[in-house]
């Protein structure tokens, strides 16, 4: 009955018009919701497809421009295979049950949409595993078998991950199929009215919905689940059994005896299979039992008993639980009380695997007992290590951002920057930036041969960075200026790392715009189209009407056009490419869309687009499987060209028995967070690849410098990707460095514990190390609270220095003669601050990758860096001087405390930088030296060392202060 | 069968609302952690161990010190309270508007529930999808003794003036922005309204009509709106007054939005600092349009997305825009929820929420099946 309400009646003139219930809102019918939703989903999928296709074209052109076209096709073939198979499985699981069993025509029609969505989304998800697929196909063997299951390690690294992927897809698809069968059958039974009949109870409903197709899918689902449980036994090889001293891998209880974890897994597998088959069979019987209700109107069926099934399933679960309890009891009674002896082979297995996986087996341990008698200042000054001491730091340091250290959050709150130590970057910005649009993104520690001698330098690349790196800037506001005019940076700035002028400022070997130098080794093409500052942006070159800005001249500016002969960038030589790049640019900046389509600057005959401009973006776009060490990207001049160098590693987290650690997670960062590479969990890595990128052309080369099962597999997959290490030009080889992130994880995460060769020592952590700390960064002007407090101390990371081998304790390399460019990192005992070990990695050709651990004997006290800093800080004269500066408004920056091995002894040098209120340029104004318990300070290193005038330590503790400039 | 289908529709409404908020925040915005930091949540997440902090050694998601520090920025509580009061005043004005309309259509002034019926209805819309609130308002008025026709007419006129106010507001925003600056937001608002109406077109009397224009027009009850305005125009002061009230309510919402974003800004980190006032005018106008057809509970998702779209069209930052839109959505809904709860207590639970919902379901089912409208629609059995 409807309400009798007049809907269009005027009561009287001036009275409101009346409206009835027809104006009230109500819920739309399901069909309408469905069509609306389908339209939205198709619109979203359509946009995603357009985006994906655009991305595919851009990737292809990019990779083709670099000469790696085969990589693209290899990846595409693999991804397409997975897309078709994975997507097809999901589509079948979603669509077939609905098409076959749904009762309503609407749902059957919807099945086509749903199946298509399942194909698209499922295929997309499956295609993402193309790297695992390729490794499973091409991965070889490690030539080493795991002792528990007898499989070659290659099985775990290459094939097991893809087996899990296949299993996951099949399992999800069968689960999805079960759900869609239920939905379809429910729909069908609702349409036919069966479900609304009074005699159809819950059991009958259940039985009727679960038809034979459901039974098959259920059994598939259950059996796949059992197979997954079976595969979890391999997970025992990675299990964290830290309580038993095994931080990765199986322990005694896991694999030995009847009541072991591996047998518990077998029991669970059998229970799962049993339950699956029993329940599946019952479901099938249920369907057969109630089927007559569906086909006959008046069928009246007796009830089916479930109690036997419940009892059997309960019994099986009880067996499983009982076995698990048995394992737990055995652990308490027979295993834990006998630890660590009972775990000996397992702990040793874990230690050996970890040391092997982190390539630490070849670390040469050298006993280091510094002499009791102090060396004379003349002997100290005669040391080449001291003469080449890098008093100017070749790095910038940022508060760690990948795993926040709240100890330093207060520092961030006061300074508003994560950068806490970068004196050279600040000096270069003040003295060598010269124009507002130039920036130095970071500084590098490098070495060159000058006049036949190796010398260490600090260098930085002058770039015009993107707004993504430096934030919004006036000169980057306009599309034309940012992408057509300011296309490239200009050259290097280089300073010797061991010298300053009289004012404490660096000297310049290369400086100015365009770069000027008197050393031929630095001469070369200075233009920087590809660099860290180009992150997230593109530029266009060889355009109409306009030449690129090259550099400013006293008169006006020099202009430049990229030579046609250079093979660089992607040509925009068709309308189709313009359209594709216009769409591609939408994800970057909306205003570029019309510019790409209609700008008259773009000339189809000549214009090129340069994107993926940062070294990280470029290398990872070609070889995303590589771990790129973001802490050791640096630029050098080699072959008369400016080249970026990246250390790249091949990794896995599937190496049995090895410790898992986070790769790329150092205590402090060497780059701002925008320029960092994602961290990766690993338990095995190969320092296998060196990548070079030409700063002008973007040409990229991957040099495979070592063999290894993983890098060999990738070489097999991409035969055109790698060049041999021997083909690397000598001028590039001379600039190799050891990967800093790798050095960190090897020693600060692994070796500090795993150097303990004896299992008892390891189990009891009798000689655990810790990375040494130091006071670093500003200690004045609003930062007074950081002095002498935890907030001002940072872990010492790996640092480069030139070491005279004869200054090192006897390691058999004294006779090599030439200075070694080494990465060093000091360690202290855990919980103490005295020096325990100095780790040295050699980096020069011929000795690259040699690792040394120079160890102070336990029980011998040699101060660590933080103790040296404390001595300096506690010294009244030094303290008085620093306080004086701070009171006058200057900012005092504590420099990196150098630990210099000198003729087998230990000398500490801490440079102190000062930024006055008038002059914000950090100047190296003070050198503090700590030697044999004595502290001296002076305005030059030589002076400070000369003040150590007494040998033998007879008046140790006396402080000698030099005169001269002091504020 | 019909109940089953209705249930699926309702579940879909809830799911869509959740998806529309979750997907953009966590999958579309480049750095969701920044949005959470702006909302001052990351610090709390770090405290309870969700966000990882290496020194403490637990947590699941990697945090960044800048983000954690951002999350520790202080709130300007005075501004936040002012913002809440402003939004509260906007809703109260709408209640007043409904009372004035009720008088106009002939509901006796002494009839109870006139003022509170608005909050009851809006509160229901907050809880359920598809907008059962209008039916609730009618039931509330009828419960108070109003004539059924007068009640439905009152509710419809209130909707008409909400639309009129929003249109006026949109035009004001357009003028403030200038043609070039306001064109894109205006187009966005058109797209939002057309898109929403299209996918829910049978909510008016346009079911089955394949002509998009006619469908849209009818879905919005266009002919009835014109008729209502024509009728109200015969009393020009009333028309002007009600329109002014509608605009004033929206102005208060703009003030609330602006104060809210100021309350979550600091001197160093200012949310949407570069956006002109017209952006906020347009944002409120477009977002209110998106909420007129309540496809999800409280228009959740549509409201926030429409607002973010306007901010982006004006060149705003996506993180800040998302933050402000979520904040505004949360605060306006919380204020409405508070008014709803007060109303329920004040009216001692009459009409009961579930009764209204059942009536709404019955009305919807009747429309789907072409059956007559249920007899006791406005006077449900307790």
């Amino acid at each position: 009955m409807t309400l009798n309400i007049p809907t269009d009646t005027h009561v009287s003139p001036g009275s409101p018009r009346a409206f009835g219930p027809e104006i009230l809102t109500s819920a739309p019918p399901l069909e309408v919701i469905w069509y609306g939703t389908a339209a939205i989903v198709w619109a979203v999928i359509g946009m995603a497809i357009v985006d994906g296709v655009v991305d595919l074209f851009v990737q292809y052109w990019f990779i083709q421009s670099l000469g790696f076209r085969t990589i693209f096709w290899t990846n595409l073939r693999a991804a397409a295979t997975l897309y078709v198979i994975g997507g097809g499985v999901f589509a079948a699981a979603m669509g077939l049950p609905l098409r076959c069993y749904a009762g309503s025509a609407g749902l059957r029609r919807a099945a086509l949409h749903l199946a298509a969505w399942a194909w698209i989304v499922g295929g997309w998800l499956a295609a993402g595993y193309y790297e695992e697929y390729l490794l499973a196909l091409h991965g070889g063997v490690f030539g080493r078998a795991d002792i528990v299951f007898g499989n070659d390690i290659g099985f775990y690294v290459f094939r097991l991950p893809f087996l899990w992927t296949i299993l996951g897809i099949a399992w999800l698809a069968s689960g999805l199929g079960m759900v869609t069968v239920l939905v379809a059958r429910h729909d069908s039974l609702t349409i036919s009215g069966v479900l609304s009949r009074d005699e159809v109870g819950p059991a009958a409903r259940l039985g009727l919905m679960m038809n034979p197709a459901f039974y098959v899918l259920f059994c598939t689902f259950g059996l796949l689940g059992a197979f997954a449980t079976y595969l979890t036994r391999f997970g025992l090889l990675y299990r964290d059994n830290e309580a038993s001293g095994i931080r990765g891998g199986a322990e005694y209880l896991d694999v030995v005896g009847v009541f072991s974890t591996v047998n518990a897994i077998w029991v669970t597998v059998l229970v799962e299979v049993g339950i699956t088959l029993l329940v599946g069979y019952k479901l099938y019987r249920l369907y057969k039992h109630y089927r007559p209700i569906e086909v006959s109107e008046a069928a009246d069926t007796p009830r089916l008993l479930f109690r036997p099934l419940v009892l059997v399933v309960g019994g099986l679960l009880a067996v499983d639980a009982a076995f698990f309890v048995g394992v737990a009891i055995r652990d308490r009674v027979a295993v834990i009380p006998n630890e660590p002896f009972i775990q000996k082979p397992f702990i040793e297995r874990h230690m050996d695997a970890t040391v092997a996986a982190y390539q630490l087996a070849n670390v040469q341990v050298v006993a280091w007992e510094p002499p009791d008698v102090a060396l004379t200042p003349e002997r100290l000054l005669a040391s080449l290590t001291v003469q080449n001491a890098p008093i100017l730091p070749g790095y910038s340091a940022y508060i760690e951002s990948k795993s926040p250290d709240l100890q330093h959050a207060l520092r961030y709150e006061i300074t508003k920057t994560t950068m806490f130590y970068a004196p050279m970057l600040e000096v270069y910005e003040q003295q060598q930036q010269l124009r507002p649009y130039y920036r130095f993104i970071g500084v590098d520690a490098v070495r060159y041969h000058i006049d036949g001698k190796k010398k260490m330098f600090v260098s930085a690349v002058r770039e015009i960075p993107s707004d993504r790196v430096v934030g919004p800037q006036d000169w980057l506001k306009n599309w034309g200026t940012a992408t057509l005019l300011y296309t490239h940076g200009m050259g290097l700035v280089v300073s010797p790392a061991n010298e300053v002028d009289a004012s404490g400022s660096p000297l310049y070997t290369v400086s100015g715009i365009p770069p000027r130098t008197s050393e031929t080794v630095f001469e070369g093409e200075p233009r920087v189209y590809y660099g860290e500052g180009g992150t997230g942006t593109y530029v266009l070159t060889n355009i109409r009407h306009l030449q690129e800005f090259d550099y400013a001249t006293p008169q006006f500016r020099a202009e430049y056009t990229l030579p046609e002969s250079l093979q660089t960038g992607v040509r925009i030589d068709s309308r189709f490419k313009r359209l594709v790049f216009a769409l591609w640019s939408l994800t970057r900046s909306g205003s570029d869309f019309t510019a790409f389509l209609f700008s008259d600057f773009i000339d189809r005959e000549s214009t090129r687009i340069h994107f993926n401009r940062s070294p990280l973006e470029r290398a990872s776009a070609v070889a995303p499987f590589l771990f790129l060490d973001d802490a050791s990207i640096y630029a050098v001049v080699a072959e008369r060209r400016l080249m970026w160098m990246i250390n790249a590693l091949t990794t896995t987290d599937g190496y049995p028995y090895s410790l898992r650690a986070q790769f790329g997670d150092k205590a402090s960062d060497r780059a701002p967070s925008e320029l960092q590479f994602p961290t990766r969990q690993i338990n095995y890595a190969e320092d296998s690849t060196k990548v070079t990128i030409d700063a002008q052309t973007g040409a990229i080369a991957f040099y495979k410098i070592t063999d290894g099962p993983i890098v060999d597999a990738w070489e097999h997959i991409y035969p055109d990707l790698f060049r041999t290490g021997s083909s690397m030009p000598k001028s590039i080889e001379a600039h190799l460095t050891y990967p800093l992130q790798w050095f960190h994880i090897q020693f600060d995460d692994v070796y500090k514990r795993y150097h303990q060769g004896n299992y008892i020592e390891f189990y009891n952590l009798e000689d655990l190390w810790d990375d040494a700390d130091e006071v670093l960064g500003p200690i004045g002007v609003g930062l007074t609270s950081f002095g002498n407090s935890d907030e001002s101390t940072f872990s010492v990371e790996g640092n480069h220095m030139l070491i005279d081998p004869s200054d090192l304790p006897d390691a058999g390399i004294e006779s090599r003669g030439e200075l070694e460019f080494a990465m060093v990192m000091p360690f202290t005992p855990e919980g103490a601050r005295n020096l325990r070990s100095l780790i040295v990695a050699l980096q020069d050709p011929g000795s690259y990758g040699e690792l040394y651990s120079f160890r102070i004997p336990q029980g011998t006290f040699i101060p660590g860096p933080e103790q040296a800093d404390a001595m300096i800080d506690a010294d009244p004269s030094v303290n008085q001087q620093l306080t004086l500066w701070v009171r006058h408004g200057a900012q005092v920056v504590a420099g990196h405390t150098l630990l210099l091995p000198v003729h087998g002894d230990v000398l500490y040098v801490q440079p102190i930088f000062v930024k006055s209120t008038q002059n914000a340029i950090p100047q190296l104004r003070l050198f503090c030296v700590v030697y044999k318990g004595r502290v001296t300070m002076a305005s030059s290193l030589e002076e400070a060392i000369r003040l150590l005038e007494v040998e033998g330590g007879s008046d140790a503790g006396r402080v000698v202060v030099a005169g001269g400039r002091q504020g | 069968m019909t109940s089953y289908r209705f249930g699926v529709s309702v579940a879909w409404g809830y799911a869509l609302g959740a998806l529309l908020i979750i997907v953009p925040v966590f999958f579309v915005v480049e750095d969701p952690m920044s949005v959470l930091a702006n909302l001052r949540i990351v610090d709390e997440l770090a405290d309870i161990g969700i966000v990882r902090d290496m020194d403490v050694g637990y947590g699941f998601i990697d945090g960044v010190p800048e983000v954690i520090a951002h999350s520790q920025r202080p709130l300007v509580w005075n501004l936040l309270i002012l913002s809440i009061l402003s939004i509260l005043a906007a809703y109260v004005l709408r209640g007043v508007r409904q009372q004035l309309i009720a008088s106009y259509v002939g509901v006796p002034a002494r009839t109870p529930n006139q003022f509170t019926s608005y909050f009851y209805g809006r509160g229901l819309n907050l809880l359920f999808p598809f907008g059962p609130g209008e039916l609730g308002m009618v039931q509330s008025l009828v419960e108070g003794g109003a004539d059924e026709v007068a009640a439905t007419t009152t509710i419809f006129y209130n909707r008409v003036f909400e639309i009129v106010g929003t249109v006026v507001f949109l035009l004001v925003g357009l003028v403030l922005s200038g043609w070039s600056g306001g064109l894109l937001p205006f187009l966005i608002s058109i797209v939002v309204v057309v898109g929403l109406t299209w996918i829910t077109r049978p909510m008016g009397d346009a079911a089955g009509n394949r002509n998009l224009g006619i469908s849209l027009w009818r879905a919005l009850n266009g002919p009835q709106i014109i008729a209502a305005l024509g009728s109200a125009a015969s009393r020009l002061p009333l028309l002007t007054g009600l329109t002014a009230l509608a605009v004033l309510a929206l102005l208060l919402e703009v003030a609330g939005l602006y104060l809210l974003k100021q309350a979550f800004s600091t001197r160093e980190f200012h949310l949407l600092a570069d956006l002109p006032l017209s952006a906020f005018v347009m944002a409120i106008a477009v977002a209110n349009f998106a909420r007129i057809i309540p496809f999800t509970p409280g228009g959740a998702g549509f409201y926030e997305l429409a607002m973010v779209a306007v901010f982006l069209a004006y060149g705003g930052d996506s993180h800040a825009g998302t933050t402000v839109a979520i904040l505004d959505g949360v605060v306006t809904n919380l204020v409405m929820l508070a008014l709803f709860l007060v109303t329920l207590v004040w009216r001692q639970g009459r009409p009961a929420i579930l009764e209204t919902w059942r009536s709404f379901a019955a009305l919807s089912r009747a429309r789907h099946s072409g059956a007559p409208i249920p007899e006791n629609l406005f006077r449900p059995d307790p």
Side-chain angles (χ1 to χ4, degrees), chain A residues 336-487:
Chain A
I336 292 176
N338 295 310
E339 285 180 344
F341 173 73
I342 201 168
Q343 303 286 9
K344 178 175 183 281
F346 300 91
I347 295 174
E348 287 176 342
R349 203 177 289 166
H350 164 60
M351 290 166 64
D352 292 346
T354 304
V355 167
Y358 287 89
Q359 321 293 342
L360 292 167
N362 294 325
V363 176
Q364 296 180 48
V365 178
V366 180
W368 185 9
E369 224 165 330
D372 292 332
V373 179
L375 301 168
T376 62
E378 285 69 28
R379 281 209 71 195
L380 291 173
L381 287 168
S383 157
L384 288 176
T385 307
V386 173
Q387 289 171 20
N388 286 282
I391 53 178
L392 297 177
Y395 65 93
S396 312
Y398 298 78
I399 297 169
E400 57 177 326
S401 58
K402 286 167 186 164
S403 51
D405 184 349
L406 292 183
Q407 175 183 308
H408 299 117
L410 176 62
R411 174 181 284 273
Y412 175 80
E413 271 301 284
I414 293 175
T415 60
K416 301 297 176 201
T417 173
T418 55
M419 188 171 75
F420 67 89
Y421 182 63
M424 286 306 288
L425 192 61
E426 291 175 88
V427 171
Y428 284 170
E429 281 175 354
Q430 294 284 334
Q431 295 186 343
Q432 286 296 314
Q433 186 175 307
L434 303 176
R435 292 288 184 276
Y437 31 81
Y438 288 127
R439 287 282 195 286
F440 298 98
I441 306 302
V443 294
D444 307 318
V446 290
R447 83 288 205 184
Y448 289 88
H449 278 84
I450 306 288
D451 300 330
K453 287 183 180 171
K454 205 178 289 175
K455 194 169 170 63
M456 196 170 153
F457 294 89
V458 178
S459 79
V461 182
R462 188 183 288 108
E463 298 188 56
I464 303 183
S466 65
D467 51 3
R468 170 113 172 253
V469 178
V470 289
Q473 305 292 336
D474 283 343
W475 54 90
L476 298 174
K477 271 184 180 171
N478 301 317
W479 176 77
T481 319
T483 58
L484 308 177
L485 201 63
Y486 290 133
T487 53

Side-chain angles (χ1 to χ4, degrees), chain A residues 392 427 499-506 913 922-925 939 965:
Chain A
L392 297 177
V427 171
E499 296 175 64
V500 289
D501 66 13
S503 68
S505 295
F913 297 86
Q923 292 174 304
L924 209 174
R925 301 294 294 274
S939 55
R965 300 186 315 275

Side-chain angles (χ1 to χ4, degrees), chain A residues 1-2 5 15-17 19 21-29 31-33 37 190 400-401 404-406 413 418 665, chain B residues 1 5 9 12 53-55 63 65-66 69 104 130-131 149 152-153 157 159 199 202 227 231 360 364 367-368 372-373:
Chain A
M1 180 183 169
T2 54
I5 297 171
S15 298
R17 179 169 173 162
F19 295 96
E22 78 283 352
I23 54 86
L24 293 175
T25 54
S26 61
E31 288 77 11
V32 171
I33 293 178
T37 308
T190 307
E400 57 177 326
S401 58
D405 184 349
L406 292 183
E413 271 301 284
T418 55
D665 169 30
Chain B
M1 173 65 187
R5 293 164 63 85
S9 301
W12 200 263
D53 163 12
M54 185 59 86
D55 281 357
E66 292 105 306
Y104 166 60
F130 309 124
V149 178
T152 49
T153 306
Y157 269 87
R159 193 209 299 175
I199 61 174
S231 171
F360 180 72
S364 301
R367 281 193 176 154
H368 299 167
I373 289 173

Side-chain angles (χ1 to χ4, degrees), chain B residues 139 142-148 350 355 359 375-382:
Chain B
Q139 285 183 342
V142 171
E143 174 97 10
D147 173 66
E148 291 176 352
R350 291 296 307 153
E355 287 170 19
S359 304
E375 194 174 346
N376 54 349
L377 187 64
F378 298 142
R379 296 176 192 277
D381 294 328

Side-chain angles (χ1 to χ4, degrees), chain A residues 567-868:
Chain A
Q567 295 294 316
T568 172
V570 174
R571 286 190 181 277
I572 308 181
D573 51 9
S574 68
R575 290 208 168 274
F576 178 67
K577 279 190 175 176
R578 287 180 79 150
L579 175 66
V580 169
F581 278 112
L583 291 167
W584 171 77
S585 76
L586 277 179
T587 55
R588 292 162 177 253
S589 166
S591 63
D592 300 2
F593 181 74
T594 50
F596 266 108
L597 281 183
F598 304 114
S599 174
D600 197 38
F601 285 116
I602 298 175
D603 183 350
R604 66 183 298 172
E605 299 298 323
S606 61
T607 300
R608 305 170 200 178
I609 180 170
H610 306 258
F611 55 98
N612 285 339
R613 292 171 64 213
S614 81
L616 279 181
E617 287 175 329
R618 209 160 180 77
S620 61
V622 177
F625 58 87
L626 289 173
F627 180 87
L628 304 177
D629 189 343
D630 57 13
S632 54
I633 297 174
Y634 53 104
V636 295
V637 180
E639 308 285 287
R640 295 185 65 81
R641 305 202 59 83
L642 189 53
M643 309 282 269
W644 290 99
M645 297 194 64
I646 311 175
N647 290 304
L649 297 97
T650 34
T651 66
T652 181
D653 67 346
Y655 193 93
Y657 271 103
S658 176
L659 173 78
R660 280 186 171 154
Q662 201 71 13
F663 198 11
D665 169 30
K666 291 196 300 87
S668 66
D669 295 320
R670 293 287 166 88
S673 53
E674 300 83 23
L675 303 178
Q676 290 174 12
F677 195 74
T679 57
R680 188 182 285 187
Q681 193 183 54
I682 66 160
N683 69 357
Y684 170 94
E686 298 157 354
D687 176 17
S688 59
T689 309
K690 303 292 174 186
V691 186
T692 63
I693 295 169
D694 189 298
Q696 187 194 23
T697 65
I700 186 167
F702 295 84
Y703 293 98
K704 181 184 160 214
I705 60 164
T706 56
D707 288 329
I710 298 180
V711 73
D712 290 348
W714 286 114
E715 190 180 28
H716 195 247
I717 293 165
Y718 305 124
D720 300 334
L721 177 64
F722 292 104
R723 301 181 190 188
T724 60
S726 57
S727 69
M728 183 187 286
K730 294 293 174 199
S731 60
I732 293 178
E733 194 182 14
H735 290 289
L736 292 185
T737 60
Y738 200 72
L740 179 56
Q741 298 273 21
W742 177 229
F743 185 72
H744 174 90
I745 202 170
Q746 275 186 306
F747 291 97
D748 198 21
D749 290 345
V750 179
Y751 195 71
K752 68 177 186 179
R753 182 187 291 255
Y754 291 80
H755 72 90
Q756 304 167 108
N758 180 285
Y759 90 99
I760 282 287
E761 192 186 13
F762 176 84
Y763 182 83
N764 292 327
L765 300 175
E766 290 172 17
D767 189 16
L768 182 64
W769 298 350
D770 189 15
D771 51 1
D773 288 341
E774 64 174 334
V775 176
L776 194 67
I779 52 174
V781 187
L783 297 166
T784 46
S785 65
F786 294 139
N788 300 326
S789 64
D790 282 346
E791 287 89 350
S792 62
T793 56
F794 292 86
S795 298
V796 179
E797 287 295 341
N799 284 287
H800 300 288
M801 64 165 60
L802 286 173
I803 296 182
D804 182 352
S806 65
D807 277 329
L808 290 167
D810 185 13
I813 56 173
E814 301 85 359
S815 57
R816 289 186 187 171
E818 206 186 23
L819 288 169
E820 288 279 357
F821 188 59
M823 183 180 283
V824 300
M825 187 174 183
F827 281 86
T828 64
E830 174 69 34
R833 294 176 179 180
N834 57 295
L835 187 65
R836 177 72 178 95
S837 176
L838 181 69
I839 302 294
V840 176
L842 303 186
Q843 308 178 97
D844 285 329
S847 58
Y848 178 87
E850 287 181 19
L851 301 170
Y852 295 90
S853 168
F854 296 99
R855 291 188 194 172
I856 308 289
Q858 292 195 67
T860 301
F861 173 75
I862 299 294
E866 197 177 359
Q867 288 173 325

